[in-house]
Amino acid sequence: MSLFGDLFDFNGDGIATPEEEILGMMMVDEMMAEEQRDAANEAKSISDTLNFRAIGRTIGNTSVSQFESGNTALAGKLAYASWYFLDRYKGNVYLPECFQALYQSAKADIHTYMHGRGAVKSMTLLEDGSCILVSDYGEIEYQAVPGTEGKVLFHDLEYDFRAVCSNGNNAYAISAHGPVCFIEKDRLVRSIALPGGNYYGIEYAGNNLLFIWGSSNVLWLNSKSGRFVSITNDLGRISAALYYGGNMHAYFTDGTSAVLDSKGDFKYETPLFDEPVTAAYYDSLTNCVYFGGKSGHVLRKNLSDGSSSVLYGHTSGILFINVINDVAVTGSYDKNVYIWNLSLLRDVEGKNQENNSNQSGSVSNDWLIPAAITANAWPYSAIRLNDAEILVGFSNGSVGRYTVSVSSLASKVMTGIKRNLTPAEWQQYIGANVPYVKFK
């Protein structure tokens, strides 16, 4: 009886001949050799990928050094090369080395100041692409092109504006001591007195309704009629509020949260964040809600599948959160504006679900390292302008328009590049063992 029975019976007579056994063993050896070759090729591919990603990071650091030494032409070429290697080999193009190199060489940011240099407490975008800014010096300013010199619509030192929101055409600004200002489509400003108190937040909730809150008073204001209805709040001081899912959600300084029901009453809800919320944002495209806390942590909660992740990076309380496609932008009292690559975050959440985990994760600063825009003032507020840019208002009265899309930065850098790296430059700055690439 053959050792292999009919395993290698190629002629169908039920018995493997010695010749068939030899042929079969040769086939098995070839299959094993092929598997080993595939494994070796995969290992080499992984090694090459990691190597090229490391090269991208190193080139980014070199670009920053060259830019700071005044060699801006070379810095631009190296910045683009840094992005090229990280992008081609599926690395994190928002790593600080790559982002800083592109950011410096692109020279894409625009800065201006509010006329009175008051702290830019809040901003809102209008549907025509213009924006309204408010300051704690009682200023309301209109910028036809966000980030450029604006026009003062209102200025009264008796007002201390804390927040502004919009319904698209009109804007509504709340002052600390009660008056709310309506900024009409014709850019005329009118004020409506409110019950005395200390106000610091306003949200548009649709259907001409404005939700206004303060240390003691909470009320609904009809933006069309100017009438308001006070809401009984026995739950404590509201630190942030957010309208999503057809409901207004309030977050209190003790870490609790509540939803405002159809009768105008607060009802406790299970907190989604385990610390007091200082900033909140809802992204309708992904049905995700973001919370920032006093610790500097940021929670991202997917309301569709329940997955969540915590971003660690800031060291002080969060002042704002905004989302542009696959990028989250956060500002903090640590005077940093961080830019997070959410595509990496979604990869982690997807793997959690595939592994039937508890669908919650914590993404540390060691893995999802944010790119940073460092300022010398607190970044109080921000608004998304388009798919690539964000406008940030600071405590010193400055307003910065920043490109936060790495692909847009790379395109701007490429526009300024006049020639390719020479083979000699490539060998010196990229490496003799790295295949030469022409970018232009």
Side-chain angles (χ1 to χ4, degrees):
M1 181 87 180
S2 170
L3 177 64
F4 295 98
D6 60 358
L7 180 61
F8 297 141
D9 176 22
F10 297 113
N11 61 14
D13 61 3
I15 300 175
T17 65
E19 292 78 7
E20 288 175 324
E21 288 186 7
I22 293 173
L23 179 60
M25 292 301 297
M26 291 174 63
M27 292 174 63
V28 170
D29 289 343
E30 178 60 29
M31 290 172 62
M32 293 178 64
E34 185 174 352
E35 289 179 357
Q36 291 173 348
R37 285 194 297 270
D38 289 343
N41 289 334
E42 183 178 359
K44 184 178 184 303
S45 176
I46 293 174
S47 176
D48 288 345
T49 295
L50 295 176
N51 183 47
F52 283 122
R53 289 180 185 177
I55 289 172
R57 298 182 68 170
T58 301
I59 298 170
N61 282 325
T62 305
S63 171
V64 172
S65 298
Q66 290 294 326
F67 187 92
E68 292 175 348
S69 66
N71 195 350
T72 57
L74 176 61
K77 299 181 185 69
L78 295 177
Y80 189 86
S82 173
W83 172 82
Y84 170 83
F85 282 109
L86 285 169
D87 181 67
R88 180 175 181 181
Y89 293 96
K90 309 301 181 184
N92 182 7
V93 292
Y94 283 89
L95 286 170
E97 299 92 332
C98 179
F99 183 88
Q100 186 64 23
L102 290 171
Y103 178 76
Q104 285 183 333
S105 292
K107 301 177 183 178
D109 55 321
I110 302 171
H111 289 273
T112 188
Y113 281 88
M114 290 193 72
H115 286 76
R117 301 295 178 100
V120 186
K121 301 294 287 190
S122 185
M123 303 180 290
T124 191
L125 193 67
L126 302 176
E127 63 181 9
D128 64 359
S130 61
C131 67
I132 299 292
L133 303 82
V134 298
S135 81
D136 59 355
Y137 283 5
E139 300 168 278
I140 299 176
E141 184 171 300
Y142 168 76
Q143 291 185 353
V145 179
T148 62
E149 185 175 357
K151 176 183 179 182
V152 177
L153 302 180
F154 180 90
H155 190 187
D156 188 335
L157 294 176
E158 294 296 319
Y159 288 68
D160 176 3
F161 289 111
R162 301 299 180 88
V164 63
C165 66
S166 168
N167 67 356
N169 286 320
N170 303 326
Y172 312 95
I174 184 68
S175 176
H177 304 299
V180 58
C181 288
F182 286 31
I183 302 98
E184 308 288 0
K185 190 174 182 179
D186 56 8
R187 309 301 167 232
L188 296 179
V189 179
R190 61 186 177 93
S191 298
I192 294 179
L194 298 178
N198 186 21
Y199 296 93
Y200 40 82
I202 185 168
E203 278 277 322
Y204 184 71
N207 298 320
N208 298 314
L209 289 178
L210 297 167
F211 181 69
I212 300 173
W213 71 93
S215 57
S216 56
N217 292 335
V218 179
L219 53 87
W220 286 109
L221 174 65
N222 188 305
S223 62
K224 193 170 184 179
S225 67
R227 297 187 180 129
F228 60 83
V229 176
S230 295
I231 301 169
T232 301
N233 173 24
D234 298 324
L235 304 186
R237 179 174 176 176
I238 299 174
S239 58
L242 188 63
Y243 183 79
Y244 67 89
N247 294 302
M248 182 60 67
H249 301 260
Y251 308 96
F252 300 89
T253 54
D254 63 358
T256 59
S257 63
V259 61
L260 196 60
D261 65 19
S262 58
K263 296 180 181 179
D265 297 323
F266 281 114
K267 300 295 183 183
Y268 276 119
E269 60 181 352
T270 303
L272 298 178
F273 201 25
D274 59 1
E275 63 176 281
V277 174
T278 58
Y281 182 87
Y282 175 67
D283 180 22
S284 59
L285 293 178
T286 58
N287 197 30
C288 290
V289 63
Y290 294 77
F291 300 108
K294 286 186 176 180
S295 66
H297 300 164
V298 177
L299 170 74
R300 176 182 181 271
K301 181 75 173 181
N302 190 313
L303 299 177
S304 297
D305 59 27
S307 63
S308 63
S309 293
V310 180
L311 305 179
Y312 297 103
H314 288 293
T315 57
S316 297
I318 301 299
L319 288 163
F320 73 79
I321 304 169
N322 217 301
V323 175
I324 302 178
N325 299 328
D326 275 340
V327 175
V329 185
T330 57
S332 165
Y333 278 112
D334 61 15
K335 296 183 179 180
N336 285 313
V337 175
Y338 280 166
I339 301 150
W340 308 83
N341 187 352
L342 294 180
S343 62
L344 298 177
L345 191 60
R346 292 178 184 129
D347 287 345
V348 170
E349 292 172 350
K351 290 177 182 177
N352 284 341
Q353 294 182 39
E354 291 173 6
N355 297 331
N356 294 319
S357 71
N358 61 5
Q359 295 188 0
S360 64
S362 149
V363 182
S364 73
N365 205 26
D366 295 329
W367 183 78
L368 183 54
I369 305 173
I373 298 173
T374 303
N376 59 356
W378 292 322
Y380 274 138
S381 55
I383 51 174
R384 168 183 173 163
L385 298 178
N386 48 51
D387 285 344
E389 296 177 300
I390 195 166
L391 193 70
V392 182
F394 294 91
S395 59
N396 62 359
S398 66
V399 181
R401 180 169 180 158
Y402 302 99
T403 299
V404 295
S405 164
V406 166
S407 59
S408 295
L409 288 173
S411 296
K412 291 180 179 180
V413 170
M414 173 54 73
T415 301
I417 294 176
K418 304 302 182 185
R419 62 170 178 82
N420 288 302
L421 289 168
T422 65
E425 289 172 330
W426 185 276
Q427 182 172 342
Q428 179 178 356
Y429 295 106
I430 310 297
N433 297 325
V434 180
Y436 180 74
V437 178
K438 291 183 178 180
F439 298 129
K440 291 190 73 70

